[in-house]
C-alpha cells in the first residue's frame, strides 16, 4: 500500500508545482520541485523546473548551479540528452510567455537558452522577434546575436521554419529596408527557408512599397533581383524589375529586362503588357523613336486581336496589367479616333472579365444602390468620394486641392480614399487633403477592399482622379461600388464601361469627340480645371550662372522624357536656329544622357550650336521651380502630349508660350488653358504655325510684354483663375448627375 501511494503523491505534488509555476507563485513552486527531486532523484526534469523557478525569481546564478549539479554524475551521452531536455523546458516556458505577451520574461529565458546552445538558429530568430516586440531592435543587436552568419550557413542543415523567417524578415523590411544587412538577410532567407516562395511574395510586396511609396527604386531593385534568382522566368517579377530600373534611370538595364519579358511572353495579354513595358523603357530612356513606333503599332494589333479572340475571363492580375498598357498612347500618336478605339477595346475586355469573377459582389452593390435610393432622405447632402494615390505633392494634388478648398460642405460631404498611402502621413499636401474631407480613408492596394469601403460609406458619386495611371483604381471602378462614377483630371478617360461621365470642357473635347468615348462627356461651361494660383518661392537660376547674356532670348521647355517626341524637338530647335542670340533651357530629364544626346543630335542636323542648349536638373521644391520659370522669355510646349500643370504654372507666371493643338485630350490641354486665360497668341494648329509663333514671340519683345500684361490682368476675371466659380460648376454637375440617376431609378422606362 505504501509503495502504491508514493507515485500518486508525487503526481499530485507535480501538478501543484506546475500550477504554482504557471500562476507565478515561484517560492511555493520551488519548494514543491525540491520535494520532487528528493522523492524522484532520477527524474532530472524536476531539476530543470526548479532552476527555472529560480531564474524567474531573478536568481540566475542559483538556477545555473541547480542545473550544473544535476548533470555532474552523467556521462557524455547523458549530459547531451539532459542539456537537450533542459533546453526544451526553457523553450516551452519562453513560448508560453511570448503567447501571453510577457516579452521581457521570454527574452531572459531565451538568453539562457542561447548560453546553452549559441548556435540554435530558431532561438536566435525568436530573440530578434523579441527585440522588435520590446522596441529594442538595432542593426548592432542583430549582428551581436550572430544570426546572419548562421543563416547563411544553413544550406547544409535542415531548412528553418519559414513562418519564423518571414516574421523576422517582415520586421526588418519594415524598419530597416535600406540597410545592407537586410538585403543580405533576405538573400539568406531565400536559401534557408522551407518555403522560398513565401519569402518571394513577401519581398515582392515590400519591394513595390519601397519603390513606389518610399521613392527608392534602387532598393526595390535589390530585393526584386533576389526573387528573380528563385523564379528567373517569372513575368510579374520581370515587369516590376523593368519598372524600377526605369524609375532609377538605369535605362540600359530597364530596356534589357523589358526585352527579356517580351521574349518570354506567350499569352496575348502578356504580349500586350510586354509591349507597354518595352515602350515605357524606351520612352524614359529617350532617343529610341525608330524602335518605339513599330512596337507601338504592334501593340495596337495585339489589342485588336485580343478584343476579337478573348472569350474566357481573364484573371485579376492580368486585368491589372492590361489596364495600364495603353498609357504610352498619347505620347506617341495624336489620333482621337485610333487612340480611343484601342483604349475602349481593351477596357471592354477587362470589364467583361471583372463582371465574370466579381459577379456576386457587383450584384450586391447594385441591389444596395436600389434599396438606398428608394429610401434616401432627400435632404441628405450628396456624398462625393474622391479616390486617388495622387492627393499629395503631385501634379494632380496641386490642381485638385482648389476644388476641396471651395467645396460647399453643407451640400456635399466629402470622402477621400487615399489608396497606397503610408502611415504616418508625412506628405504635407496629403495631410492638407485629409483635413479637408469629412472622412479620410487610408487604404492599401487591395481593389476589392477599397471598393467595399466605398460601398459601405454609401457614396453617391465616386470621382476617379487617376484613370489608367493606376491599375488598382481601374479595377475599383470596374466593380462599380458607387451608383454614379466619374473620371476627372488625372488623365484622359479610361474607357471603362462602368464609368458614367468624363469631365471636360468645350475646348479640350469639342463637339464631335463624344462618338469616340464610352463615357458620357460632361462639359463644364468654361474650363475643366481652375486654380486660384500657385505658391512661388525664390528663384535659384540666374542668367549669369548659366552664362547667358542679359540681352539674349531664353526659351524654356520643362517636361518629362515621355513628352520629348522627335517631331516636337525638331520644331523647337528650328525656332532656336531662326532666332539669333537665343538659348534653350531644357528641364525635366535630369542626367539622362540618351535624351540629351538626342537633343544634341537633332541640333546638329538642324544646324544649332550645342552651346546654346542648357540641360537643367530638377529642384526639390515646387515653389522654386515656379520661381525659376521667370528666367524664360518664351515657353515651348510639347506635342502630342501638352503640359498641364506646367502650362498653368507658365500662365500664372505671366510667360508667353507656344502650344500646338491636336485631336485628343492630352494634345488640347494647353489650348483650353490659354483660351480660358484669354490668350490666343501662341496657339498653333500645325507644325508650321508652331515654328512661326515660336520665332515671332522670340523676336517681338513688345508682343511678349503685351501677352504678359494680359496674363497678369487675367487673374482678375479669367475662368482659369477662379476656382470658386469652377467649384460651383462642378457641384452643379454633381447635382444634375444625381438628378438624372434618381429620375432613371424612379422611372426605369425613361
Amino acid at each position: 500500500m505504501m509503495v502504491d501511494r508514493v507515485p500518486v503523491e508525487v503526481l499530485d505534488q507535480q501538478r501543484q508545482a506546475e500550477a504554482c509555476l504557471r500562476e507565478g507563485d515561484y517560492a511555493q513552486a520551488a519548494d514543491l520541485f525540491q520535494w520532487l527531486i528528493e522523492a524522484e532523484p532520477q527524474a532530472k526534469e524536476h531539476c530543470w523546473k526548479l532552476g527555472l523557478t529560480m531564474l524567474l525569481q531573478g536568481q540566475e546564478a542559483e538556477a545555473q548551479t541547480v542545473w550544473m549539479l544535476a548533470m555532474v554524475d552523467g556521462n557524455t551521452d547523458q549530459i547531451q540528452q539532459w542539456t537537450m531536455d533542459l533546453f526544451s523546458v526553457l523553450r516551452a516556458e519562453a513560448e508560453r510567455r511570448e503567447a501571453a505577451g510577457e516579452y521581457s520574461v521570454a527574452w531572459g529565458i531565451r538568453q539562457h537558452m542561447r548560453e546553452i546552445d549559441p548556435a540554435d538558429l530558431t532561438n536566435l530568430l525568436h530573440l530578434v522577434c523579441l527585440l522588435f516586440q520590446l522596441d529594442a531592435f538595432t542593426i548592432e543587436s542583430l549582428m551581436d546575436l550572430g544570426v546572419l552568419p548562421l543563416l547563411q550557413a544553413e544550406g547544409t542543415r535542415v531548412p528553418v521554419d519559414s513562418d519564423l523567417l518571414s516574421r523576422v524578415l517582415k520586421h526588418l523590411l519594415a524598419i530597416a529596408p535600406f540597410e545592407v544587412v537586410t538585403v543580405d538577410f533576405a538573400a539568406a532567407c531565400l536559401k534557408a527557408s522551407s518555403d522560398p516562395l513565401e519569402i518571394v511574395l513577401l519581398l515582392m510586396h515590400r519591394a513595390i512599397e519601397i519603390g513606389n511609396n518610399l521613392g527608392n527604386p534602387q532598393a526595390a531593385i535589390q530585393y526584386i533581383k533576389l526573387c528573380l534568382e528563385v523564379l528567373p522566368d517569372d513575368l510579374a517579377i520581370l515587369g516590376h524589375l523593368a519598372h524600377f530600373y526605369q524609375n532609377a534611370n538605369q535605362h540600359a538595364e530597364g530596356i534589357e529586362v523589358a526585352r527579356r519579358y517580351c521574349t518570354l511572353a506567350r499569352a496575348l495579354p502578356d504580349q500586350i503588357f510586354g509591349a507597354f513595358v518595352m515602350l515605357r523603357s524606351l520612352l524614359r530612356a529617350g532617343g529610341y523613336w525608330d524602335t518605339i513606333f513599330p512596337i507601338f503599332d504592334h501593340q495596337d494589333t495585339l489589342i485588336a486581336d485580343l478584343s476579337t479572340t478573348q472569350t474566357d475571363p481573364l484573371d485579376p492580375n492580368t486585368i491589372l496589367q492590361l489596364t495600364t498598357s495603353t498609357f504610352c498612347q498619347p505620347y506617341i500618336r495624336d489620333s482621337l479616333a485610333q487612340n480611343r478605339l484601342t483604349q475602349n477595346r481593351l477596357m471592354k475586355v477587362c470589364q467583361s472579365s471583372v463582371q465574370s469573377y466579381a459577379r456576386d459582389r457587383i450584384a450586391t452593390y447594385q441591389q444596395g444602390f436600389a434599396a438606398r435610393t428608394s429610401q434616401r432622405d432627400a435632404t441628405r447632402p450628396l456624398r462625393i468620394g474622391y479616390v486617388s494615390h495622387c492627393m499629395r505633392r503631385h501634379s494632380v494634388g496641386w490642381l485638385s486641392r482648389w476644388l476641396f478648398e471651395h467645396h460647399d460642405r453643407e451640400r456635399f460631404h466629402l470622402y477621400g480614399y487615399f489608396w497606397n498611402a503610408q502611415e504616418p502621413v508625412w506628405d504635407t499636401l496629403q495631410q492638407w487633403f485629409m483635413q479637408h474631407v469629412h472622412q479620410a480613408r487610408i487604404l492599401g492596394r487591395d481593389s476589392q477592399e477599397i471598393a467595399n469601403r466605398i460601398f459601405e460609406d454609401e457614396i453617391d458619386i465616386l470621382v476617379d482622379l487617376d484613370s489608367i495611371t493606376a491599375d488598382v483604381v481601374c479595377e475599383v471602378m470596374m466593380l462599380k461600388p458607387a451608383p454614379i462614377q466619374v473620371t476627372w483630371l488625372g488623365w484622359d478617360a479610361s474607357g471603362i464601361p462602368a464609368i458614367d461621365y468624363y469631365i471636360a470642357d468645350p475646348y479640350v473635347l469639342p463637339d464631335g469627340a463624344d462618338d469616340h468615348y464610352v463615357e458620357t462627356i460632361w462639359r463644364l461651361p468654361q474650363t475643366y480645371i481652375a486654380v486660384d494660383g500657385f505658391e512661388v518661392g525664390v528663384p535659384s537660376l540666374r542668367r549669369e550662372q548659366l552664362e547667358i547674356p542679359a540681352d539674349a532670348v531664353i526659351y524654356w521647355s520643362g517636361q518629362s522624357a515621355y513628352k520629348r517626341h522627335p517631331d516636337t524637338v525638331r520644331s523647337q530647335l528650328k525656332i532656336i536656329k531662326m532666332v539669333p542670340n537665343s538659348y534653350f533651357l531644357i528641364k525635366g530629364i535630369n542626367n539622362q544622357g540618351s535624351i540629351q544626346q538626342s537633343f544634341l543630335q537633332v541640333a546638329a542636323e538642324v544646324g544649332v550650336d550645342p552651346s546654346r542648349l542648357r540641360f537643367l536638373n530638377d529642384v526639390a521644391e515646387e515653389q522654386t521651380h515656379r520661381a525659376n520659370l521667370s528666367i524664360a522669355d518664351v515657353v515651348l510646349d510639347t506635342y502630342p502630349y501638352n503640359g498641364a500643370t506646367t502650362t498653368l504654372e507658365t500662365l500664372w507666371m505671366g510667360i508667353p508660350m507656344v502650344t500646338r493643338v491636336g485631336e485628343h485630350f492630352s494634345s488640347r490641354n494647353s489650348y483650353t488653358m490659354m483660351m480660358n486665360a484669354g490668350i490666343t497668341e501662341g496657339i498653333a494648329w500645325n507644325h508650321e504655325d508652331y515654328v512661326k509663333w515660336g520665332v515671332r514671340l522670340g523676336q517681338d519683345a513688345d508682343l511678349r510684354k503685351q501677352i504678359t500684361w494680359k496674363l497678369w490682368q487675367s487673374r482678375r476675371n479669367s475662368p482659369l483663375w477662379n476656382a470658386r466659380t469652377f467649384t460651383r460648376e462642378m457641384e452643379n454637375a454633381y447635382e444634375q448627375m444625381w438628378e438624372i440617376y434618381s429620375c432613371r431609378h424612379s422611372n426605369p422606362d425613361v
Side-chain angles (χ1 to χ4, degrees):
M1 295 294 293
M2 290 288 294
V3 174
D4 291 338
R5 283 197 299 272
V6 171
V8 173
E9 187 178 4
V10 167
L11 183 60
D12 182 59
Q13 293 284 68
Q14 187 170 347
R15 288 172 178 165
Q16 290 185 48
E18 296 284 356
C20 290
L21 179 61
R22 287 193 303 272
E23 294 166 7
D25 188 354
Y26 303 131
Q28 180 64 21
D31 289 342
L32 291 169
F33 282 123
Q34 186 66 57
W35 185 93
L36 287 166
I37 291 170
E38 295 172 1
E40 289 187 316
Q42 75 284 359
K44 298 295 184 180
E45 183 179 0
H46 303 321
C47 299
W48 316 148
K49 294 289 183 70
L50 175 61
L52 176 60
T53 61
M54 294 177 175
L55 178 64
L56 294 173
Q57 294 179 83
Q59 301 170 0
E60 297 184 19
E62 291 84 346
Q64 292 193 9
T65 299
V66 169
W67 295 330
M68 289 172 57
L69 290 174
M71 296 186 187
V72 294
D73 57 346
N75 57 40
T76 301
D77 291 341
Q78 287 177 316
I79 292 174
Q80 183 177 1
Q81 182 60 51
W82 292 339
T83 301
M84 292 172 58
D85 294 342
L86 170 59
F87 196 89
S88 297
V89 167
L90 295 177
R91 181 176 60 227
E93 184 65 17
E95 290 172 352
R96 187 173 75 84
R97 299 293 179 158
E98 287 162 355
E102 299 176 32
Y103 303 121
S104 295
V105 177
W107 168 265
I109 296 171
R110 287 197 176 276
Q111 282 287 38
H112 280 276
M113 293 168 63
R114 182 187 174 200
E115 291 182 13
I116 295 170
D117 187 353
D120 186 282
L121 184 54
T122 299
N123 183 55
L124 294 175
L125 289 170
H126 277 291
L127 281 169
V128 177
C129 289
L130 288 169
L131 285 172
F132 290 125
Q133 296 288 354
L134 295 167
D135 292 326
F137 177 83
T138 63
I139 293 297
E140 292 73 19
S141 64
L142 179 67
M143 303 306 291
D144 290 343
L145 287 171
V147 174
L148 187 55
L150 286 170
L151 186 60
Q152 290 170 328
E154 194 64 22
T156 58
R157 299 173 58 184
V158 177
V160 183
D161 177 65
S162 185
D163 289 340
L164 181 56
L165 278 178
S166 295
R167 283 167 54 196
V168 175
L169 181 57
K170 189 173 183 179
H171 280 297
L172 275 174
L173 290 169
I175 69 170
F178 309 134
E179 296 287 344
V180 174
V181 68
T182 305
V183 179
D184 292 341
F185 189 87
C189 285
L190 285 169
K191 294 179 180 178
S193 173
S194 59
D195 186 2
L197 291 182
E198 180 182 350
I199 303 296
V200 167
L201 290 173
L202 175 60
L203 287 177
M204 286 301 302
H205 178 76
R206 186 57 176 152
I208 292 169
E209 291 180 338
I210 290 168
N212 292 330
N213 297 6
L214 302 184
N216 194 326
Q218 193 60 61
I221 289 168
Q222 291 181 289
Y223 294 114
I224 294 175
K225 287 174 70 176
L226 292 177
C227 299
L228 205 60
E229 293 178 10
V230 179
L231 300 171
D233 294 336
D234 187 274
L235 291 179
I237 295 175
L238 288 168
H240 285 296
L241 183 58
H243 174 83
F244 289 123
Y245 268 136
Q246 295 156 23
N247 289 3
N249 291 329
Q250 294 178 242
H251 300 297
E253 294 87 345
I255 291 170
E256 183 57 36
V257 173
R259 185 176 289 114
R260 176 165 174 74
Y261 186 107
C262 293
T263 301
L264 292 170
R266 295 290 180 268
L268 193 53
D270 291 334
Q271 293 178 38
I272 292 170
F273 185 70
F276 161 66
V277 174
M278 196 72 202
L279 288 170
R280 187 180 191 270
S281 297
L282 297 171
L283 281 168
R284 287 185 67 92
Y288 290 91
W289 287 94
D290 289 343
T291 306
I292 287 170
F293 290 126
I295 295 174
F296 179 70
D297 292 339
H298 181 57
Q299 189 192 49
D300 260 2
T301 302
L302 293 173
I303 292 173
D305 289 346
L306 183 74
S307 68
T308 57
T309 62
Q310 187 66 39
T311 56
D312 296 330
L314 300 169
D315 65 88
N317 288 333
T318 300
I319 292 169
L320 288 177
Q321 289 184 336
L322 289 177
T323 56
T324 60
S325 292
T326 54
F327 174 80
C328 299
Q329 271 194 153
Y331 299 99
I332 300 171
R333 179 177 60 199
D334 181 27
S335 172
L336 177 64
Q338 287 180 284
N339 288 0
R340 293 311 312 171
L341 177 62
T342 300
Q343 183 71 31
N344 296 341
R345 279 174 166 173
L346 188 60
M347 288 305 184
K348 182 179 179 181
V349 172
C350 293
Q351 177 78 70
S352 175
S353 296
V354 170
Q355 287 175 329
S356 177
Y357 76 72
R359 182 180 293 105
D360 293 343
R361 182 185 300 271
I362 293 173
T364 298
Y365 292 164
Q366 294 297 322
Q367 292 165 8
F369 302 155
R372 293 170 187 172
T373 304
S374 62
Q375 302 169 10
R376 192 177 189 280
D377 180 357
T379 63
R380 194 198 82 175
L382 280 176
R383 294 186 181 181
I384 312 297
Y386 292 94
V387 56
S388 178
H389 74 296
C390 297
M391 290 185 285
R392 53 184 172 85
R393 288 183 60 182
H394 181 281
S395 291
V396 169
W398 290 116
L399 301 188
S400 63
R401 59 179 170 152
W402 297 106
L403 179 62
F404 288 75
E405 173 72 24
H406 295 299
H407 251 311
D408 184 337
R409 281 162 174 73
E410 292 185 4
R411 292 163 54 206
F412 302 91
H413 282 183
L414 310 184
Y415 288 68
Y417 297 93
F418 302 84
W419 72 273
N420 209 30
Q422 294 290 300
E423 292 188 277
V425 176
W426 299 109
D427 187 294
T428 54
L429 186 55
Q430 190 162 81
Q431 292 173 354
W432 182 93
F433 272 104
M434 291 181 175
Q435 294 165 0
H436 282 73
V437 295
H438 291 84
Q439 297 290 338
R441 309 298 190 197
I442 300 178
L443 300 160
R445 296 181 56 88
D446 188 319
S447 306
Q448 298 190 26
E449 177 188 348
I450 297 169
N452 280 342
R453 180 77 267 188
I454 292 167
F455 176 72
E456 291 165 2
D457 285 337
E458 299 188 15
I459 296 302
D460 298 312
I461 300 176
L462 179 63
V463 184
D464 160 30
L465 302 181
D466 293 343
S467 189
I468 73 159
T469 66
D471 51 4
V472 170
V473 169
C474 286
E475 187 179 17
V476 169
M477 302 305 279
M478 289 175 187
L479 292 168
K480 201 169 177 64
I484 301 172
Q485 299 195 149
V486 180
T487 297
W488 173 60
L489 188 60
W491 203 74
D492 200 348
S494 63
I496 294 173
I499 296 178
D500 303 283
Y501 300 104
Y502 180 55
I503 302 294
D505 63 45
Y507 298 108
V508 78
L509 286 181
D511 292 342
D514 306 66
D515 294 341
H516 302 290
Y517 281 82
V518 171
E519 305 89 339
T520 297
I521 298 176
W522 193 288
R523 293 179 180 85
L524 299 180
Q526 300 177 96
T527 176
Y528 83 92
I529 182 62
V531 300
D532 282 345
F534 295 96
E535 298 85 352
V536 180
V538 177
S540 61
L541 284 181
R542 298 287 187 274
R543 285 178 177 247
E544 54 270 23
Q545 76 186 73
L546 296 174
E547 299 181 352
I548 296 177
D551 62 344
V553 175
I554 294 181
Y555 289 91
W556 172 292
S557 178
Q559 300 292 353
S560 68
Y562 288 110
K563 298 184 180 182
R564 302 299 181 179
H565 194 284
D567 293 345
T568 302
V569 171
R570 187 170 296 276
S571 296
Q572 292 170 339
L573 290 170
K574 283 182 178 179
I575 294 169
I576 304 304
K577 179 183 179 180
M578 297 171 69
V579 179
N581 196 28
S582 65
Y583 290 78
F584 193 18
L585 274 54
I586 304 159
K587 177 182 176 291
I589 58 177
N590 294 325
N591 296 318
Q592 291 172 244
S594 55
I595 301 181
Q596 293 185 18
Q597 189 58 42
S598 68
F599 268 92
L600 294 172
Q601 180 180 338
V602 176
E605 294 171 2
V606 172
V608 173
D609 187 336
S611 66
R612 296 169 66 185
L613 307 185
R614 301 287 187 275
F615 298 99
L616 307 179
N617 290 327
D618 285 331
V619 292
E621 296 293 329
E622 292 86 353
Q623 295 92 327
T624 305
H625 153 70
R626 296 168 194 142
N628 285 342
L629 279 170
S630 61
I631 198 174
D633 295 299
V634 182
V635 168
L636 299 178
D637 195 15
T638 48
Y639 168 90
Y641 202 120
N642 296 165
T645 306
T646 51
T647 296
L648 284 168
E649 291 169 332
T650 297
L651 299 176
W652 180 254
M653 295 300 295
I655 302 169
M657 73 178 296
V658 182
T659 188
R660 179 178 170 184
V661 187
E663 295 182 14
H664 61 72
F665 182 89
S666 300
S667 61
R668 300 176 67 88
N669 249 317
S670 295
Y671 169 57
T672 186
M673 293 170 184
M674 290 177 70
M675 293 297 291
N676 276 291
I679 301 296
T680 58
E681 298 86 349
I683 296 176
W685 296 90
N686 52 49
H687 160 73
E688 291 76 16
D689 283 348
Y690 184 92
V691 174
K692 287 178 181 178
W693 270 117
V695 172
R696 182 180 174 188
L697 288 173
Q699 293 177 338
D700 194 336
D702 289 337
L703 179 58
R704 295 199 301 269
K705 290 178 183 178
Q706 292 173 23
I707 295 171
T708 297
W709 182 85
K710 288 172 69 174
L711 285 171
W712 288 119
Q713 290 297 110
S714 75
R715 292 190 180 189
R716 297 182 178 182
N717 51 23
S718 164
L720 198 64
W721 313 127
N722 191 337
R724 185 180 297 276
T725 296
F726 165 76
T727 302
R728 298 290 86 81
E729 291 171 353
M730 282 285 280
E731 291 175 339
N732 290 340
Y734 291 157
E735 290 179 327
Q736 291 174 51
M737 291 173 189
W738 182 254
E739 183 178 354
I740 292 170
Y741 172 81
S742 299
C743 288
R744 286 176 177 170
H745 183 268
S746 302
N747 303 285
D749 297 329
V750 176

